[in-house]
Amino acid sequence: LRTAAFAERQAFEAFSWAAETIADASEELRVAWRTMAKEEEFHLQLLLGRMAELGVGVAERPVSDRLWRWLRTSHTTAEFSARMREAEARGKAAEESFRLSLAERDPVTAAIFGRIADDEAEHLALGDRLAGRSRPG
């Protein structure tokens, strides 16, 4: 839960940063990134809420900010989009795995991971659609 929450926080920060920073992004893409940032923040709140219910401390174990540092080195829409797609796909796969593995013993947490995985699938589809528009010919 802690690692997933931190990944959601990094995704929120990355989408927000890209919407304000990546110079060659279209306005449509900036709006989409801001929307995805809000969804990532919602995911974070779902996970933090569940952690509080279970008594899991946020600061009990360190987590890596490698994803955030990697995403922040992006300079173009194409570069950021490709990296974010990779991160979202990895996250979706992990969340699907948690949805399945926790379904019997913790259906509440499984449902949270399922909701996040479904949203990430939408993020991937939207990103693919918008990235396709920005490719030449």
Side-chain angles (χ1 to χ4, degrees):
L1 284 167
R2 184 180 304 100
T3 301
F6 193 63
E8 296 298 328
R9 172 66 192 261
Q10 290 179 91
F12 163 74
E13 295 291 346
F15 281 127
S16 298
W17 171 83
E20 301 306 318
T21 306
I22 304 289
D24 68 342
S26 68
E27 187 55 32
E28 182 182 21
L29 190 53
R30 289 178 195 286
V31 168
W33 284 342
R34 287 182 191 109
T35 299
M36 287 187 261
K38 289 177 186 171
E39 291 172 359
E40 301 293 357
E41 186 174 36
F42 175 71
H43 299 160
L44 172 62
Q45 295 309 314
L46 287 174
L47 292 165
L48 291 175
R50 186 61 180 152
M51 290 170 65
E53 291 170 0
L54 296 173
V56 175
V58 173
E60 287 180 7
R61 188 176 68 195
V63 291
S64 171
D65 68 345
R66 182 174 33 185
L67 174 62
W68 169 243
R69 289 184 286 117
W70 180 56
L71 292 169
R72 288 274 319 250
T73 64
S74 302
H75 298 290
T76 65
T77 296
E79 191 174 36
F80 179 80
S81 295
R83 290 175 178 185
M84 204 62 216
R85 187 190 199 299
E86 181 182 330
E88 292 281 289
R90 278 194 321 252
K92 180 184 173 293
E95 288 140 1
E96 287 289 358
S97 176
F98 291 138
R99 177 187 351 214
L100 295 173
S101 67
L102 293 171
E104 292 290 319
R105 66 181 173 198
D106 186 351
V108 173
T109 303
I112 290 170
F113 279 116
R115 165 66 192 271
I116 295 170
D118 293 345
D119 287 350
E120 302 300 8
E122 291 177 21
H123 292 178
L124 289 165
L126 177 63
D128 288 347
R129 181 177 61 78
L130 293 174
R133 284 190 192 167
S134 66
R135 285 188 204 120

